Amino acid sequence: MTRFLLPLAFFALLLVVLVVGLKHAPDKSLIPSPLIGKSAPAFTLSSLFDPRESVSARDLGGRWSLVNVWGTWCVECRAEHPELLQIKQQGLVPIIGIDWKDNDDDAQAWLSQLGNPYDRVGADRDGRVAIDWGVYGAPETFLISPAGKVVHKKIGAMTADVWQREFLPLIQAATTR
Amino acid sequence: MPIELAHFALILALMLAAAQAWFGLAGPALRNERWQATAPFAACGQFVFVALSVGLLIHAFIDNDFSVKYVAENSNSALPLFYRVTAMWGAHEGSMLLWILVLSLWTLALVSRLRTLPPSFGARAIGVLGIISFGFLLFTLLTSNPFTRLIPAVPDGNDLNPVLQDPAFAVHPPILYMGYVGFSVSFALACAAMIEGRRDQLWAHWIRPWAVMAWAFLSCGIALGSWWAYYELGWGGFWFWDPVENASFMPWLAGTALIHSLAVTDKRGLFKSWTLLLAVSAFSLSLLGTFLVRSGVLVSVHSFAADPTRGVFILAFLVVMIGGALVLYAWRAPLMKSAAGFDFISRESFLLFNNILLAIATAVVFGGTLAPLIADTLKLGTLSVGPPYFNPSFLVPAVPLLALVALGMHTRWKRGGLGTARRPVLIAFGVALVLGLALSLGVYMHPLPLTPVGAVVGCWIILAALIDPVARLLRRQRVPANVLGMSVAHIGLGIFALGITFVQSNTIERDIALKPGQSTQLGEYVFQYLGGGDVEGPNYEGYRGKVSVTRHGQTVATLFPEKRHYWVQGTVQTTAAIDPGLSRDLLASLGDDVGAGAWSLRVQYRPLIRFVWIGALIMAIGGTISVIGRRERSAVGERSTSQSAAENRA
Amino acid sequence: MTPRRRRLYWVLGIIAGVGLATGLALQAFRQNVMEYLDPSMIAAGDVKPGRRFRLGGMVAHGSVDRVPGSLDVRFVVTDCIHSVPVTYDKVLPDLFHEDAGVVAHGRLDEHGTFVADEVLAKHDEKYMPPEVARSLKQQNACLQSVANAH
C-alpha cells in the first residue's frame, strides 16, 4: 500500500534539493565585482570628441560621479539612454562615459542624435580599460565616491527604479552625514 | 500591426485556458454535460489566440520591427528571412511561446480525436491540459514577456550568433518540443484515468498512439540535436551528457518504457500502476528538464539566461503538476490493480525486465545530472560528472536490455516460451554471431571487450525484427501496421546499437602539427595537409586549410577545414571539414598556427557514426507507422478484460 | 513453481539487479568524478600526485609558450595568488587565450607541473558546471589585483 506513496516521497526529497539549489543560484550567476570598496582603477583614454584631450581617473575625484560603459552596438545601452539623460538633467552627479570597443564616428553620431548625457567620454577602442574595470558586458554603471572609491555597480540597463533604490540612497546617506 | 495585439491575444489565451481547465474538470465532476462539452471549444479558442500571438511575433521578426525589444535582441536586418523566422524561438521568451504553441497544437489534436474517447474521460484530459497551458501562459506573461517595447527603437538589432544560423539548429527546437510537450497528452489521459479510478484497461489502449507519437518526435529531436552538434561544433563529438541533453534524454527513456508498458496494460491489463507512473514520469521529466535549463540552477552552455525568479515560478508549477499527479497516483493506483498471472519466460516478464532496466537507466542519468547540484547544495564540494561516469554506468542497464530485445520480441504472451518462433530466433542468433564477430574482428579490428557483444546484439535485433514481417510476406499475408511499425522501430534500434558500438570502440582521433606536405595515418587512411590560405567572408576573416585523404593510394576525399574570426561578435569558430559516408566519416579541423610553418590539426576517422542518427530516425518512422496504421475501435464500447487478442497484434 | 515462490524470485532478482547497478554506478562515480581545484588549493598541498582533477583559474599574461612547429604548449594557470605551470600536447580550444578563464583536466607530476589531457575554455561546447562562474570570478579578482598593483 505504502509503495504507492514512494514516488511522491521521492519527489518531495527532490524538491528540497532543487529549492536549496535555487536559493544558491544567484551566487553562481552573479559575477561579484571585486572592485567594490576599492579605489577606482586608474585609466587614461583619449576623448571621443577630441583625440588630443584625455579622459582619466583624475576626472573622478572630489565628488560623487558615475562611470557608464556603453557602445552603439549594445541594445540595452539604447534602452537605458533616456534614463541617463534624466540623471544628467537632475544635475546631482556627472556621468563619465567609456565608449567600449566602438567606432568613433558611430558613437559621435549616436550622441548627437540621441543627446549626450556624459560630461566626458573616453574611447576604449581595444577594451583594455574595460578589462581593468572588470566589465562583463555593456551597459555597466559604476558609482564612484568623492574619495575615488567604487561604491556600487549596476550590470545591465540603468532604470529609474535602480537609480532611486540603489544609487540615490548611497549618495544621500553619505552627503547627509 | 502593433505587438500589443499579440500581448492581448496571449492574455485572452490565458483566460481560455482557465476556462478549458474549469469546464474540462468541473464538468464531469459535477455531471454538467454542457460544461463538459464546452471544454474542447475553449481549447480551440485558446489555440486560435496562441497562434495569433505567435504569428504576430514572427511577423515582427520578418518586418524587422526593432521597436520590439525581443526582436532587437535576437535578430538583424541582414539575417536571411528563414533565420529571422526561426529567431523567434532563439531565446528564452520566444521559446516559451513556442512551448505554449506546441502544447495547444497537441491539445487541438486530442480534441480532433475526442470521438474515440468517452465524453467525460476526454473532457477531463482536456481539463488537465488546460491547467498545464494556464501555468505556462501565466509564467510567460508574468516573467518572460516577449512583447515589451524598446523606445526609442534601435536602428538595427544584435547579430544572431553565427553558430546558430544553421538549418538543423533552427528546426531542432520545434521538433524537440513536439516530443517533450507531446508527453503532456499521455500525462493528461493518465490523470483522467486516475481521476475516474477506472478499473478497466481501456485507457491504456487510448493512450498508446499519443505516447508513441510523442516518443517518435522526441527521438527525431534528440537525433537532430546530436547531428547538429557533431558537424557544427567541429570536434567530432555528438553526445556530451550535457545537462540539457540529459534533460531531453530522460523523458525519452521513460517514454520508451511507457510505450512498452502500455502494450502490456492494453493487451493483458497488467502493470497498470507501472504504466500510470511512467506516464506521469515521462512528462514530469520534461517539466523538470525545463526547470533545470531555465532556472540557473545548472550552468551549461545550452542554458538560457539564468533567472532565479523564473526558477521559483517553474518550481511552484512543478509542485502543482507533478505533486498533484503523484498524489492522484498514491490515491488511485491501489484501486486500479491488476491480478493476472504470467509465466517466467513470457512477453510480460520480458517487458517487465524492460521497464526495470529502463528505469535504472533513467536513474543513472538522473543521478549523474543532479549530482553536481546535490553536492553543491549539501556543501560536499564541487563535483563534475561527465562521460567518464555516464558512459560505463549507462552501459550497465543498457547492454542487458539490448541483449533481451531479440528474445523479448518473440516470446508469447502469458504462456510464454518462443513457440514457433524458436527456430527462426535461434537461427537469427547464429547468423548474428557470425556477422557480429566478423565485423568486430575482421572488418573493424582491435575491438574493445564490449565490441563483439554490441555487434552481435545489434545484428541479432535487426534479424529478429525481420522474422515476423518476412514470415507473413512469405505466407502472402498482409503485414498489419502495428507489426510493421514494431519491426521497423526495432530495426532502427539495432542499427543504432551497431553505430554506437563501432563509433565508440573504433574511432581514431589524432591531434598533430603538420607542415604543408606532411601527413599522418589513421588506420587505412592517410591524411595529408596541403597548406592553405586566408579567406574572407561577409562578417568574418579566416584561414582555410586543405587536407587530402587517401586510402591505398587512391584519393578518397579532399577536406577544407576553416578557422574563422567573426569581427562583430569577436568570436573564433572552427569549421570542421567532414567527408560523410554510410560506413565511416572522415574529419579534419584546424587548431592553431603553431609556428615554423605548421598548423595543428585534429583528424578523425569515425566508423558507422551515421548509423547512430539513421537508427534513431528509423525508430521514429517505426513508431509513426504503428500510429498511422492503427485500426480504430469504436469509441465508447467497453470491452471485457478477458477478451482474447484475436486481432493480429504481435 | 508457486506464485509466491515466483514472486520471491522476482523480488530477489530485482534487488540483486538494482544493487549491482547501484554498486557499479557508484564505483564508476567515485572513480570518475573529479574535484575542482584552483592554484591556491594546490599550493596548500592537498593533492596527491597521480590523481586526476580539474584545475581552474586564469591563463597568466604572457605565459603561453609554444614549441614552434609542434603541439606541445606550456602555460601558467593562476588565481593571482598562486600559479601552476601546465603542459598540454593537443589542440587548444578556440576560446583559449591569455587573461581568460580556463579549466583543465589532468594530473600533477612529481615536479608540480600539471600535465593536462583536456583543456576547456569558458563557453566551450562541452559541459561546464559552476566552475565557469568561479573561473570568471577569479579572472576578475585577478585582473583587479594586477591593476591595483600598479
Side-chain angles (χ1 to χ4, degrees), chain C residues 3-75:
Chain C
R4 267 193 81 191
R5 189 78 70 75
R6 210 184 326 146
R7 236 174 290 151
L8 182 65
Y9 288 158
W10 269 125
V11 172
L12 286 177
I14 291 173
I15 292 179
V18 173
L20 184 69
T22 316
L24 285 168
L26 280 177
Q27 172 94 319
F29 197 78
R30 249 174 313 175
Q31 278 175 351
N32 292 304
V33 155
M34 288 183 289
E35 5 159 33
Y36 174 90
L37 300 168
D38 58 36
S40 294
M41 293 182 202
I42 295 176
D46 43 23
V47 185
K48 313 169 204 63
R51 182 174 169 76
R52 193 159 181 260
F53 63 93
R54 288 188 154 213
L55 171 67
M58 202 182 80
V59 181
H61 191 83
S63 70
V64 178
D65 185 25
R66 197 181 262 294
V67 176
S70 95
L71 281 168
D72 295 327
V73 64
R74 320 177 68 85
F75 55 94

Side-chain angles (χ1 to χ4, degrees), chain B residues 2-26:
Chain B
I3 205 73
E4 282 72 15
L5 208 65
H7 193 178
F8 188 55
L10 213 60
I11 297 177
L12 286 176
L14 177 75
M15 300 198 294
L16 283 166
Q20 181 187 329
W22 172 256
F23 289 129
L25 292 170

Side-chain angles (χ1 to χ4, degrees), chain B residues 233 235 242-243 299 301 342 349 353 356 371 376 382-384 388-389 393 511-513 563 574 591-592 594-595 600, chain C residues 6 10 14 21 25 28-29 32-35 54 66 68-71 90-91 94 123-125 127-128 131 134:
Chain B
L233 299 179
W235 303 108
D242 181 282
V299 177
V301 272
F342 52 91
S349 45
F353 286 139
I356 295 172
D376 220 50
T382 321
L383 284 182
S384 79
Y389 157 76
S393 309
D511 285 9
I512 189 164
K563 197 82 166 178
T574 310
D592 294 297
V594 292
S600 61
Chain C
R6 210 184 326 146
W10 269 125
I14 291 173
F29 197 78
N32 292 304
V33 155
M34 288 183 289
E35 5 159 33
R54 288 188 154 213
R66 197 181 262 294
S70 95
L71 281 168
K90 294 204 266 201
V91 173
D94 289 338
H123 300 160
D124 204 286
E125 69 271 12
Y127 166 53
M128 244 194 293
E131 280 81 84
R134 281 171 228 257

